[in-house]
Amino acid sequence: MSKKIALTGNYAIAYAVKLAKPDVIAAYPITPQSPIVEKLAEMIESGELKASMIRVESEHSALAACFGAAVAGARVFTATSSQGLLYMHEVVHWASRARIPMVMAVVSRTINTPWNIWPDHSDFVDQRDTGWIMAYAMDNQEAFDLTLQAFKISEDPSVYLPVMVGIEGFILSHTAMPVEIPDEKLVDDWLGERTQPYVIDGLEPKGLGPLTLPEDTEDIFYGIQLAMENSKRVIKSVDSEYGKLFGREYGGLISCYYCNNAKYIAIALGSWTGDLIEAVNTLREEGYPIGVIRVRFYRPFPREDLWEVLRGAKGVFVFDRAISFGAWGPLFTDLVAGLIQYTNKLPIIVNIVAGIAGVHVSAEDFHNMLLSLINRVESGLEHGYFDWVRIRR
Amino acid sequence: MSESQVKPPLPYSARDVVLPGDASCHGCPIPIALKVLSAVFGEKMILVIPACCTSVIVGTYPGQSLKASIIHVPFASAAAVASGVAQALKMRGISDVQVVAWAGDGGTADIGMATVSGAAERNEDIFYIMYDNEAYMNTGIQRSSSTPRGAWTTTTPILGKGENKKDVAKVLIAHNVPYVATASIGYPHDLYSKLQRAKNIHGFKYIQIHAPCPTGWRFDPKYTVKIAKLAVETGFWILYEYYNGKLIISGPSRPLLDSSKRKPIEEYLKLQGRFRTITPEIINSINEYIESNWSWIKKLM
Ligand SMILES: Cc1ncc(C[n+]2csc(CCOP(=O)(O)OP(=O)(O)O)c2C)c(N)n1
Ligand code: SF4
Ligand SMILES: [Mg+2]
């Protein structure tokens, strides 16, 4: 039987992991991620979850231990944030290049110094080139669903890549919302036993990752690129079969709101999209033909899906909650690079970077920004631009 | 076939595991140590190897010079990956495979120190073996914290290393792990019996193998074993085991409790180009270092 309970984003992830029945969990504390692993530790010590918990001495070791366990045939999980994610970065690359399925939760918090534990997406997007599939949730239910789906996607033989699931720290991680937990038996049947491309368990001699010449290495990396392409199909089919079984389908790599006949489209990732949608709601009521695309998967980058929606748009407003210093927002970069593969006539694309280091961006802020953007396009703006909007109250 | 014709009581023939032909330098100590390891564990071992000379020695994809399992891992991560492998095997009910983190002195004494300490404190059921060639050889003979005082390296090119060698075995004893031993490629039987004893012990087992490196220490490759023995005979490298709260001096080092039985340190130093410009003051300080090691040993016996 499924049940609905109030859970924080962190606990929603912990409950999803429990249902995925991992064999090994290794993690290291960091705010705001810690409650995920604390909850899992409690489940293990109380006997609810039969897994081994490695209480490592650093995030580098957390992912390294997960890597070792996964290579040896275990389903594994870890979670981290910000500094912890940066600290383990070397192993983040290592895991995907070894094509080893695993799942990690990233509870976003900005990058220091100065000390600051509020959320933006800079830690998450910093992993852009690691070869992980990168999903980002908007609410706690989706955090739960994506975490469970992450195991399925990661272990799909046409993918075999690790998957990270992001949520914003505090905004989701420490805020309780009702979350529906599906029936355990149904999940077991759907998720099944772990599959992986190879197992090194000592029962027969095998090697992983020796010195490899450039051409062979390039072939291995090219395989990751192909797997990323394959994963788009898998992500969509997992989303729709999950929808049929458990009643929630999100639209695959992106979610669209009011996109039909929209002349203007705003794009964002993560839970601040909730405020963006609220603003667009109001603008729709005020008669503006505007919609929202929420990017659910940042890698693989959903260029086809975005093009399908954006091909008729006049103005596109990309909201980035991260900054590539000296340039602009990362979603914007990817969007433009993605769209020029389909057309020489781009719509007007404007990039707004905001909400950095946890600065709050309200629905009203979004409303004001969107209104002025629409007005600028209507009054003959000829090309796009980038602006870092620092909201102060 | 009579009893006496039965093969020696080695569970495995090392030659079946350490295959002929690898990428090591002439006179390299590493294959010597790997052969002893293989004689104890055979094919059923998983070596977790971070960046070091061994990662190159064991061969280029798709070949492999060892008929055992190898996982190549990031420089600082061997003990953590090995922990994960061991936990996975435990969860999967596989109990006859030995998990061995196999790392150099740089990967252990320096960048991997926290990771080794973590795995030791958690008492993970693994072997951690540090082969000690006393510098970062893979990257071109740079100083490590395990380089002895007075040694030339490419990052101590004129003055030589100014500090004493870090004693990692001592650090592991302080972790109170079930088994700590020092060994040397000059004494394969001693290493063999240490591995045999330790493999029956549950928990974290640390063995540090002194491994003279002709390329980095600047000596004639034919002297690898001779120099390994001289390190022991001069009392510079002391062979012992530590378990059940007690230190037991191993055979080759036991007579040297009596300092008059030790060969002069100069015999060890003079064969190595890395000590070519060493001064009498530094030789004195090395002798003091040796003496203080022995008095520490005596306290734990
Ligand atoms: C994080 C990281 N830093 C630096 C290196 C470069 N590196 C590779 S091997 C090595 C030295 C290894 O020294 P040691 O552990 O003593 O093994 P040896 O080469 O002497 O066998 C270094 C510095 C690396 N691979 N990874
Ligand atoms: S540098 Fe030394 S340890 Fe490394 S392969 Fe050559 S001889 Fe062996
Ligand atoms: Mg070394």
Side-chain angles (χ1 to χ4, degrees), chain A residues 60-81:
Chain A
H60 194 278
S61 288
L63 198 57
C66 283
F67 171 75
V71 166
R75 188 173 276 167
V76 303
F77 173 79
T78 189
T80 190
S81 296

Side-chain angles (χ1 to χ4, degrees), chain A residues 2 19 141 144-145 148-149 180-191 238-249:
Chain A
S2 74
L19 276 182
Q141 180 70 61
F144 177 94
D145 294 335
L148 205 45
Q149 291 173 15
E180 189 174 309
I181 315 267
D183 178 66
E184 181 182 338
K185 176 80 177 52
L186 267 183
V187 172
D188 283 350
D189 292 344
W190 168 72
L191 187 55
V238 166
D239 183 42
S240 71
E241 76 191 30
Y242 192 91
K244 283 188 195 91
L245 275 169
F246 306 113
R248 284 173 303 281
E249 190 176 341

Side-chain angles (χ1 to χ4, degrees), chain B residues 130-177:
Chain B
M130 160 174 159
Y131 67 92
D132 188 3
N133 56 16
E134 301 189 330
Y136 299 168
M137 296 311 176
N138 179 262
T139 37
I141 328 174
Q142 293 86 10
R143 163 214 198 272
S144 83
S145 61
S146 192
T147 302
R149 186 168 201 164
W152 164 92
T153 67
T154 54
T155 49
T156 54
I158 296 167
L159 302 177
K161 190 185 172 193
E163 304 79 19
N164 277 325
K165 184 177 170 69
K166 185 193 276 186
D167 193 336
V168 182
K170 216 186 222 175
V171 174
L172 269 293
I173 287 176
H175 281 69
N176 220 1
V177 293

